[in-house]
Amino acid sequence: MELIKLDFYTQGVLSIAALIGLTSFLMLGQGRLLRLIFVFALQGLLLVLATALAGYSMGNFHLYISASITLVLKVFLIPWMLHKQVYKLNLHRDVEALKNNTAVMLGGATLVVFSYYVLHPVIQNTSVVLVNALAVGLSVVLLGMLLMISHRHAIAHVVGFMSIENGLFFAAIVSTRGMPMVVELGIAFDVLVAAILFGIFFLHISRSIDSLDVDQMNRLNEVDQ
Amino acid sequence: MIAAYLLLLMPLAGVVFFALFGHRPRIGRINIKFNAFALLMSLWLALNVHESGTLVSEGLYFLVDSFNVYLIVLTAFVGLTTSIFSAPYMRHEQQKGRLTEKRLRLYYSMYQGFMFAMYLVLTTNNMGILWVAMEAATLATVLLVSLYRTPESIEAAWKYFILCGVGIAQAMFGTVLLYYAAMQISDAENALAWTVLIQNASQLDPEILEISFVFMLVGYGTKIGLVPLHNWLPDAHSEGPTPMSAVLSGLLLNDALYAVVRNKMLVDGATQSHIAGYLMMGFGLMSFLVAAIFLHRQQDIKRLFSYSSIEHMGLMTFAFGMGTPFATFAALLHMTVHSLTKSAIFVTVGHAAQIAGTQRIEKIRGLIKTQPSVGWGLLIGTLTIAGFPPFGVFTSEFLVLLATMQSYPWLTPFLLLGIGLACAGLFRNIQPMVYGKRPEGQQAVEANLWPVIIHLVLVLWLGLSIPQSLSDWFNQATILISGSAPL
């Protein structure tokens, strides 16, 4: 298989899939919050491109609507809200020292291989673009979880959470040309509400423990005091 | 179908209404009226289903059959009784200065928001909307968990938010895979409609559905509280206001299990194998045993009963996983009696914590001497949940045991061990709380124990004799889920 011989849509989607995977790795190794948010917005933009490309090549109008919802939510609104929070809580100079960065990166690479392995059974009856896109989608989901595990900052957790949603959306768009419209609107609504709630939470957390380091939230556990 | 629409519209109106007027003095009673209306609508809906069988709305958006209609009635009933309990409880909390007017508005508004999400989970016919509603239920309750704004409650709410959010994202991936499989056989618009999927289940690609089910089980399993995804549950249940613990334990967990069972039906139809069942049995049994052990080391009364919820959800997941008609019948019955008993227990626990002024087990003493109604309520509730005859939990657990002996006899000792462990774990903690000396200065509180009495009497009734109409209902649901009638 040579990339150049494939049709325009397949080439485009495969390239975007690769870039989306790359952004996930960039986020994984990023200790500065503002850059983390920037890369997240970039991933959102790639998602918009993929959606629009799918809409264009299939002549599907509803994908354009979905692309614009993503554009507004994931590229502008949520990064902007996070950005504002970072300045408000005076965190823009902080650099989080990430422990075991090498191990985390290697773990990330393993997760990508694992995603391909899990979705292997699907290969037999589908196209090359689909299997790659689903696998990248799943890896972005898993990498988002890894991001949440390896970072201690609450804002980084939210970025990881939202990036998981990106991975799901990417998988949905490429494999099934998006979910039905009602479902997509419902998901967009949930994401929006979640983003607002996160904003409220940052305030509460920083008031109660005086920082956004989630490692300090350790009062509730099953360990004997 | 009109009943279903009204059932959904009423709480939606409630969200707006209480957001505006939720701080008024007598607002608790209006909340009761909203929920009473919902119960009436659900009964009307049940009557419709009883007369004309499965109902599907125009455009395949809503589905009401004998499986979900009984859960709808149960949800509305527990929603109503909990709101009866919540009115004086929240007034007490406000008088103690733990809540401001703004938070009271939030509380009542989100109570209705949560009920709406629950009704939507149960009535929708679209697997995508099911996911959206499940997530909405998390979003509606997350701020209620942190309602008191203590560091502990904020931590609990954050854990709940992140764990359930990430968990349920897995279910979304499962839904995407399911949609993909369905697109091969149906047009895009209706491909996620459950009625379409179940009709064509045998044509769905079994391999994709298997992968999809694993993701669904992990995703919705997080909300059921299956071990090892249960970490959020004791925290969220113990730190929020008690009426919230009652509805979370009594309703949210059931509805998540409902989502898993719906998916299991699809996978069973597609693969013709028992893979989904084995997964559920494994997770269920593990949750059951682990939670039974954890009961022994709890120091907080609400955490204690949260672990008891995990234990019972594990048992139900196990029984649904076995999938024989007998086991399915037992699981349906257990779902009902567990919801009724557990919400009753949380009501008494809430009052007990108010009497003692703390949730720490070692500080709660002499309840029967201080306020006999609360003390006896807690004791009888615990007897019920531990599975003593003649209560309904005994019947359903006994049926699960029988079903296990029929299909997987070698698993019976594990179940017996779990039941024994759980019983011991509950009583070593409950005994000193209800009996014993009354501490200095402990006062009785304003309490409305009618919800407890009604629930426990119903559970007793179900234990002594299940009414014919109800058992017909369960039979129909069993036929729907497992394909044939029990016995």
Side-chain angles (χ1 to χ4, degrees):
Chain A
M1 180 197 86
E2 282 179 54
L3 192 61
I4 207 107
K5 284 185 188 153
L6 299 168
D7 61 83
F8 172 65
Y9 168 70
T10 315
Q11 284 189 30
V13 166
L14 284 178
S15 319
I16 293 175
L19 287 173
I20 287 186
L22 179 67
T23 48
S24 267
F25 275 99
L26 284 179
M27 284 196 264
L28 205 54
Q30 189 54 261
R32 281 175 192 276
L33 285 176
L34 287 181
R35 282 192 205 156
L36 190 66
I37 296 168
F38 176 74
V39 180
F40 168 70
L42 212 61
Q43 190 176 52
L45 192 65
L46 287 167
L47 192 62
V48 173
L49 280 180
T51 320
L53 184 66
Y56 172 71
S57 71
M58 294 168 196
N60 190 338
F61 179 68
H62 125 226
L63 279 176
Y64 287 121
I65 302 178
S66 154
S68 11
I69 295 177
T70 316
L71 184 70
V72 173
L73 269 182
K74 297 270 177 66
V75 185
F76 293 116
L77 195 64
I78 294 176
W80 174 74
M81 282 167 75
L82 290 173
H83 208 265
K84 214 175 63 174
Q85 294 280 353
V86 169
Y87 272 98
K88 199 160 129 196
L89 300 168
N90 209 12
L91 297 166
H92 52 283
R93 281 180 222 286
D94 290 11
V95 184
E96 187 179 337
L98 299 173
K99 287 177 212 154
N100 307 328
N101 219 345
T102 327
V104 168
M105 282 296 173
L106 279 176
T110 319
L111 288 180
V112 176
V113 177
F114 175 72
S115 314
Y116 273 91
Y117 172 73
V118 168
L119 293 165
H120 189 71
V122 184
I123 289 183
Q124 291 135 358
N125 41 19
T126 58
S127 62
V128 52
V129 58
L130 185 68
V131 104
N132 278 295
L134 274 180
V136 168
L138 183 56
S139 355
V140 171
V141 171
L142 296 175
L143 287 172
M145 288 173 152
L146 189 61
L147 173 79
M148 294 169 97
I149 296 169
S150 60
H151 286 61
R152 283 174 299 134
H153 207 283
I155 290 186
H157 280 212
V158 173
V159 171
F161 183 89
M162 293 290 169
S163 134
I164 289 176
E165 298 262 323
N166 281 351
L168 294 172
F169 249 80
F170 184 68
I173 279 155
V174 182
S175 64
T176 58
R177 284 162 261 150
M179 305 296 270
M181 204 62 214
V182 254
V183 180
E184 213 152 272
L185 287 176
I187 295 173
F189 176 74
D190 277 353
V191 169
L192 181 66
V193 175
I196 295 169
L197 287 183
F198 276 127
I200 300 174
F201 261 99
F202 291 148
L203 225 67
H204 291 167
I205 294 175
S206 61
R207 259 188 220 151
S208 88
I209 61 173
D210 216 23
S211 95
L212 281 180
D213 184 345
V214 290
D215 272 7
Q216 290 187 24
M217 293 205 276
N218 55 5
R219 285 164 190 258
L220 302 168
N221 51 38
E222 293 297 335
V223 182
D224 289 327
Q225 264 100 31
Chain B
M1 259 353 238
I2 304 167
Y5 297 139
L6 283 173
L7 183 71
L8 288 167
L9 280 176
M10 197 64 180
L12 210 53
V15 173
V16 181
F17 176 81
F18 289 110
L20 296 173
F21 305 111
H23 59 287
R24 298 278 174 85
R26 287 174 176 270
I27 204 70
R29 293 198 184 166
I30 301 182
N31 191 29
I32 295 173
K33 284 184 189 122
F34 268 87
N35 286 298
F37 179 81
L39 180 62
L40 282 179
M41 287 304 112
S42 70
L43 288 173
W44 183 19
L45 198 62
L47 202 67
N48 281 346
V49 174
H50 186 69
E51 279 170 359
S52 48
T54 303
L55 302 171
V56 182
S57 78
E58 296 265 328
L60 302 178
Y61 286 119
F62 296 103
L63 159 79
V64 185
D65 59 20
S66 44
F67 179 25
N68 61 11
V69 78
Y70 110 85
L71 281 171
I72 294 172
V73 174
L74 186 65
T75 302
F77 182 73
V78 175
L80 172 65
T81 47
T82 309
S83 71
I84 294 174
F85 154 64
S86 119
Y89 183 88
M90 294 317 273
R91 198 159 54 233
H92 181 95
E93 296 292 285
Q94 198 190 7
Q95 279 159 3
K96 277 200 313 187
R98 292 185 79 179
L99 290 171
T100 57
E101 286 191 347
K102 208 170 130 196
R103 288 189 212 158
L104 217 56
R105 282 211 297 269
L106 177 78
Y107 169 79
Y108 282 116
S109 174
M110 285 302 115
Y111 191 100
Q112 293 294 328
F114 173 74
M115 293 313 288
F116 169 73
M118 289 291 93
Y119 294 133
L120 189 59
V121 166
L122 293 172
T123 51
T124 186
N125 185 27
N126 184 312
M127 300 308 279
I129 296 291
L130 177 74
W131 184 88
V132 171
M134 215 65 210
E135 173 78 2
T138 313
L139 296 175
T141 42
V142 73
L143 280 185
L144 294 185
V145 170
S146 67
L147 198 69
Y148 295 136
R149 301 279 191 275
T150 57
E152 286 85 5
S153 69
I154 288 172
E155 180 185 336
W158 177 258
K159 243 190 206 175
Y160 173 43
F161 199 1
I162 291 285
L163 268 173
C164 279
V166 171
I168 209 155
Q170 313 303 311
M172 181 80 240
F173 195 78
T175 312
V176 169
L177 287 174
L178 177 67
Y179 188 46
Y180 169 70
M183 290 264 285
Q184 319 295 327
I185 55 161
S186 160
D187 64 308
E189 214 35 56
N190 291 331
L192 273 178
W194 193 82
T195 37
V196 175
L197 287 169
I198 195 77
Q199 271 161 17
N200 304 311
S202 54
Q203 298 167 39
L204 294 168
D205 185 334
E207 299 234 42
I208 299 182
L209 273 235
E210 270 171 27
I211 302 177
S212 151
F213 182 77
V214 172
F215 281 100
M216 298 273 196
L217 183 64
V218 171
Y220 293 127
T222 312
K223 292 217 104 161
I224 304 176
L226 294 180
V227 172
L229 310 159
H230 66 287
N231 258 344
W232 64 274
L233 195 146
D235 298 347
H237 285 212
S238 63
E239 296 304 323
T242 308
M244 233 45 243
S245 320
V247 286
L248 284 178
S249 253
L251 304 178
L252 181 71
L253 308 184
N254 275 354
D255 290 6
L257 184 56
Y258 164 82
V260 172
V261 174
R262 283 268 187 221
N263 278 304
K264 176 181 183 282
M265 290 157 79
L266 291 179
V267 183
D268 284 352
T271 58
Q272 305 296 337
S273 74
H274 202 227
I275 177 88
Y278 288 137
L279 279 171
M280 284 172 77
M281 281 169 67
F283 269 108
L285 195 60
M286 185 160 69
S287 312
F288 180 66
L289 290 173
V290 170
I293 294 167
F294 268 96
L295 278 175
H296 285 263
R297 40 178 300 136
Q298 295 313 309
Q299 291 159 348
D300 181 306
I301 182 167
K302 276 160 92 178
R303 283 181 87 87
L304 179 76
F305 286 107
S306 311
Y307 274 102
S308 157
S309 290
I310 299 176
E311 181 218 335
H312 286 275
M313 292 319 287
L315 189 66
M316 280 174 236
T317 313
F318 174 78
F320 274 122
M322 275 196 285
T324 55
F326 199 28
T328 309
F329 184 92
L332 289 171
L333 181 63
H334 197 65
M335 234 177 181
T336 316
V337 289
H338 172 254
S339 283
L340 292 172
T341 316
K342 194 44 73 59
S343 44
I345 287 179
F346 270 114
V347 170
T348 50
V349 164
H351 288 310
Q354 279 183 336
I355 291 171
T358 173
Q359 287 174 203
R360 293 193 62 82
I361 290 173
E362 60 198 27
K363 301 257 174 63
I364 306 176
R365 287 294 179 261
L367 285 178
I368 289 182
K369 289 237 173 75
T370 315
Q371 193 165 0
S373 58
V374 173
W376 283 111
L378 187 60
L379 187 62
I380 296 171
T382 311
L383 280 174
T384 313
I385 205 73
F388 277 80
F391 292 100
V393 181
F394 170 76
T395 320
S396 58
E397 282 185 347
F398 189 67
L399 288 178
V400 173
L401 268 178
L402 284 184
T404 315
M405 281 187 223
Q406 227 173 31
S407 324
Y408 304 93
W410 50 279
L411 284 175
T412 333
F414 293 103
L415 287 186
L416 286 172
L417 178 72
I419 292 172
L421 274 175
C423 181
L426 285 171
F427 276 95
R428 70 185 279 179
N429 288 316
I430 290 298
Q431 195 98 333
M433 278 194 280
V434 291
Y435 296 117
K437 263 202 212 137
R438 163 184 180 169
E440 291 284 317
Q442 190 162 284
Q443 296 291 330
V445 291
E446 179 197 5
N448 185 349
L449 283 166
W450 278 108
V452 180
I453 297 166
I454 297 170
H455 281 202
L456 292 180
V457 165
L458 278 177
V459 175
L460 181 64
W461 187 19
L462 286 175
L464 294 173
S465 77
I466 302 174
Q468 185 65 37
S469 55
L470 193 68
S471 77
D472 286 347
W473 217 356
F474 282 161
N475 276 333
Q476 278 172 20
T478 307
I479 293 170
L480 201 72
I481 298 169
S482 63
S484 51
L487 304 177

